[in-house]
Amino acid sequence: MAASLEARVGPLALPSPAMLASGILGISTRVFGRLLDAGAGAVVTKSLSVEAWEGYANPTVIGAPGGGWLNAVGLSNPGAAEFARMLRAEPAVPAIVSLVGSEPGDFARMVAEFGGCNVIAYELNLSCPHVARVGLEVGDDISLVESIVRATRAASGVPVMAKVGLGTANYLDTVGAAAAGGADAITAINTVRAMAIDAEAARPTLSNAFGGLSGAPIKPVALRCVYEIASRHDIPVIGCGGVSTWEDAVEFVLAGACAVQVGSALAGGNMGVFGEINAGILRYMERKGHKSVQEMVGLAKK
Amino acid sequence: MPKSDIPSARTVLSVADETPTVRTLEFEDAALARAEPGQFAMVWVPGAGELPMSVMVSDIAGRAAFTVRTHGPSSRALYGVREGGIIGVRGPYGNSFDAKTDSALLVGGGTGLVPLMRLITRLPAGARIGLAMGSRTADEVLFEGRARALAEKREIRIEVATDDGSRGVAGTAVDAARLLLDSGRYAAAYTCGPEPMMAALVGEAAARGVPAQASVERVMKCGVGICGSCCMDDRLVCCDGTVFGGDYLASSADFGRAWRSKSGAAVPF
């Protein structure tokens, strides 16, 4: 039997383990189609909120000194209801819908908007590091995390993933709370809270001052988190943070991830990165004699 | 000179009024000085915002420029930067016009003329140039002398249109362009300006068998293919554009019809 790229995230089967990360290119179903054609195993939408949000003023995304990117886009999105209308018109495009909110009712209400849409899973954004009262501020509130996951799980007929990041709480406790609330999988990690100051202008460059660092510089941090989560909790983990090459993807799988998400590596219009990652993983599997992605998960821990 | 994704501080060396609402700011930047026509930079006005700007030519080697109309908060701030002021630039980003033609019709509305000025410098030595330019009023006519100077020894014929008819043809740049298109003397059309104007121009050119290219503008946040704000159909204007060919544009569901607001919602033109 030839090696297969199929990835299993709990009950979810994906054609490849490399998914589009939330926040990247996630507003157009036409672009989703192009990414899936390019080899993405799944696409995660931008985080959707109950109301439409414009996000912060520019500068919202800048290159980071030392590599990677800094962003404080501010969760701009057209709102869950408007987005659901767009998804409903494209039933051939499967989507993992990312949701952001402040309380359980927000999430349950948004899930109800997606009737008739081709939603294969929800991902709860408990980790955006630069918007007040949502994201990481929610992820740091352990009891709120459990109730949000439980409410979403009850409202949803498809798997629910919780995306965690590095805030003020111990993220492993956030993972535990999400698992207790019935999460089907954990996505780890989000961008890491960071900033840039321009010496000549003598002020922060991002309009919001604080943003999140993404890309290659955070990969070793994300890899450590995935390894720790997979060691402490019995729940599927999706690795996210600086995945740019097939080697990165394989390392995350060996650390315990059943799939990975790709974001910053798409900079410069590099949608071909999905095909490169898929081809590289397959070559690696054939060279090492692995038949499935699943049998590689967590091998570095053994 | 590689492009930079980190805003680099540049000192504004000169400010020139082009019209009562439009100014050109010059600065030194080796990479932007060599930008191709249609490429853009993300321009940061510290404390006020960042906006995508097509890169204007400068007559001085090593310099580039931005020509800005005061309009929204960010453009008003850039317009207000004085000589000696600091701006941050990153780029250049995007693709550019294909300048290989022996006779080019350039059709620009307002500050959409900026990439067309740079295009004039890239057209072949013997190329024949037609330029149709649209403005709101006679006061706002832009770059007429500049275009003649950049054309140097090449033939250039200019037709002006104003919205209020105070100069030239009453109408948009397309109405001026028709006069030149009908001469049959131009083998390729290039356009930049308000999207409904460009959509009309692409149609007029196609009807006469003239291939067209258009430099498209969208809401841009990242400029580098990450945020998705600038999507048009399944394309990203920042990376797949800004320049698109007329055949694609004629088949597009979005071009001339809808753009994405800052929230990402589709908005009809």
Side-chain angles (χ1 to χ4, degrees):
Chain A
M1 193 181 81
S4 162
L5 266 182
E6 185 183 88
R8 299 203 74 93
V9 180
L12 204 60
L14 305 176
S16 102
M19 309 158 55
L20 174 73
S22 180
I24 310 292
L25 301 179
I27 57 170
S28 154
T29 49
R30 300 283 306 274
V31 174
F32 288 162
R34 190 171 161 193
L35 291 161
L36 292 166
D37 288 347
V43 292
V44 185
T45 68
K46 275 193 194 280
S47 292
L48 305 170
S49 47
V50 172
E51 306 288 342
W53 289 348
E54 277 201 0
Y56 297 126
N58 282 348
T60 47
V61 183
I62 56 172
W69 297 87
L70 277 166
N71 94 80
V73 169
L75 296 171
S76 59
N77 78 91
E82 171 63 25
F83 200 90
R85 263 195 293 280
M86 191 174 69
L87 273 187
R88 205 169 286 121
E90 297 275 357
V93 177
I96 296 175
V97 168
S98 174
L99 301 175
V100 67
S102 297
E103 53 182 46
D106 291 344
F107 290 84
R109 198 172 139 197
M110 286 191 280
V111 166
E113 299 279 6
F114 287 90
C117 298
N118 190 357
V119 176
I120 58 171
Y122 290 96
E123 183 179 85
L124 310 184
N125 181 344
L126 309 174
S127 45
C128 169
H130 57 253
V131 178
R133 293 183 299 283
V134 297
L136 208 43
E137 288 190 17
V138 168
D140 281 339
D141 184 336
I142 305 301
S143 61
L144 188 55
V145 166
E146 185 172 339
S147 59
I148 284 174
V149 174
R150 182 164 288 123
T152 314
R153 199 69 205 77
S156 165
V158 295
V160 173
M161 297 143 39
K163 185 169 179 179
V164 303
L166 301 178
T168 55
N170 182 335
Y171 77 102
L172 289 169
D173 294 338
T174 309
V175 170
D184 296 279
I186 300 294
T187 303
I189 56 175
N190 208 308
T191 58
V192 176
R193 190 178 283 149
M195 75 183 302
I197 290 175
D198 186 280
E200 292 303 318
R203 63 191 310 147
T205 312
L206 294 171
S207 74
N208 186 56
F210 298 124
L213 178 64
S214 66
I218 70 166
K219 191 197 103 182
V221 179
L223 198 58
R224 180 265 298 182
C225 293
V226 167
Y227 192 97
E228 275 190 322
I229 295 168
S231 303
R232 306 272 187 92
H233 292 279
D234 183 22
I235 188 167
V237 186
I238 299 160
C240 182
V243 177
S244 314
T245 64
W246 68 264
E247 288 97 330
D248 296 332
V250 166
E251 289 166 24
F252 272 94
V253 171
L254 296 175
C258 55
V260 296
Q261 294 182 350
V262 182
S264 299
L266 285 147
N270 185 24
M271 297 193 196
V273 69
F274 287 108
E276 290 164 18
I277 289 174
N278 290 345
I281 295 174
L282 214 45
R283 280 195 308 271
Y284 175 85
M285 291 172 72
E286 280 162 1
R287 189 154 49 80
K288 294 286 190 179
H290 298 301
K291 298 297 180 206
S292 73
V293 175
Q294 220 167 348
E295 71 184 59
M296 296 159 56
V297 174
L299 282 184
K301 292 204 301 288
K302 295 196 171 118
Chain B
M1 179 65 56
K3 72 179 166 60
S4 169
D5 296 316
I6 302 169
S8 305
R10 298 287 179 256
T11 303
V12 172
L13 299 173
S14 74
V15 177
D17 283 336
E18 305 284 356
T19 79
T21 64
V22 176
R23 281 181 185 155
T24 298
L25 292 71
E26 289 203 358
F27 55 94
E28 280 183 358
D29 187 296
L32 294 183
R34 284 201 287 272
E36 294 297 322
Q39 287 193 302
F40 66 100
M42 293 299 290
V43 185
W44 176 44
V45 185
E50 186 190 47
L51 68 169
M53 294 293 298
S54 191
V55 185
M56 180 59 188
V57 289
S58 166
D59 293 333
I60 300 171
R63 285 193 185 184
F66 298 121
T67 297
V68 60
R69 177 187 304 280
T70 176
H71 179 64
S74 299
S75 65
R76 194 181 313 129
L78 182 57
Y79 180 85
V81 175
R82 305 294 168 84
E83 211 174 287
I86 299 274
I87 56 174
V89 299
R90 55 189 180 96
Y93 295 127
N95 70 0
S96 56
F97 287 118
D98 178 353
K100 288 191 289 292
T101 182
D102 62 358
S103 54
L105 174 61
L106 281 42
V107 184
T111 52
L113 285 158
V114 167
L116 303 178
M117 293 302 106
R118 192 169 277 274
L119 175 60
I120 292 178
T121 70
R122 296 292 198 280
L123 291 169
R128 179 192 304 142
I129 303 167
L131 174 61
M133 45 206 302
S135 296
R136 279 175 213 161
T137 62
D139 281 354
E140 293 291 337
V141 174
L142 197 64
F143 294 154
E144 201 178 356
R146 194 65 180 268
R148 288 190 197 283
L150 291 170
E152 298 180 330
K153 295 194 172 68
R154 292 167 291 185
E155 174 195 316
I156 182 164
R157 190 176 150 197
I158 298 180
E159 294 288 347
V160 175
T162 50
D163 291 349
D164 66 354
S166 54
R167 232 201 102 189
V169 188
T172 71
V174 177
D175 298 295
R178 217 174 278 118
L179 303 175
L180 296 164
L181 270 175
D182 286 340
S183 72
R185 300 180 76 236
Y186 302 99
Y190 302 84
T191 184
C192 185
E195 200 159 308
M197 180 281 283
M198 292 198 289
L201 188 276
V202 166
E204 297 266 356
R208 293 165 177 81
V210 176
Q213 301 169 44
S215 175
V216 175
E217 183 174 17
R218 281 287 186 279
V219 169
M220 284 194 194
K221 296 185 178 185
C222 72
V224 296
I226 289 178
C227 75
S229 297
C230 67
C231 64
M232 180 168 74
D233 307 314
D234 65 349
R235 318 284 171 108
L236 303 174
V237 170
C238 66
C239 291
D240 300 316
T242 63
V243 176
F244 297 93
D247 289 345
Y248 156 67
L249 293 172
S251 70
S252 167
D254 285 346
F255 178 67
R257 295 188 175 88
W259 55 287
R260 301 286 181 140
S261 71
K262 286 179 184 172
S263 75
V267 182
F269 276 104

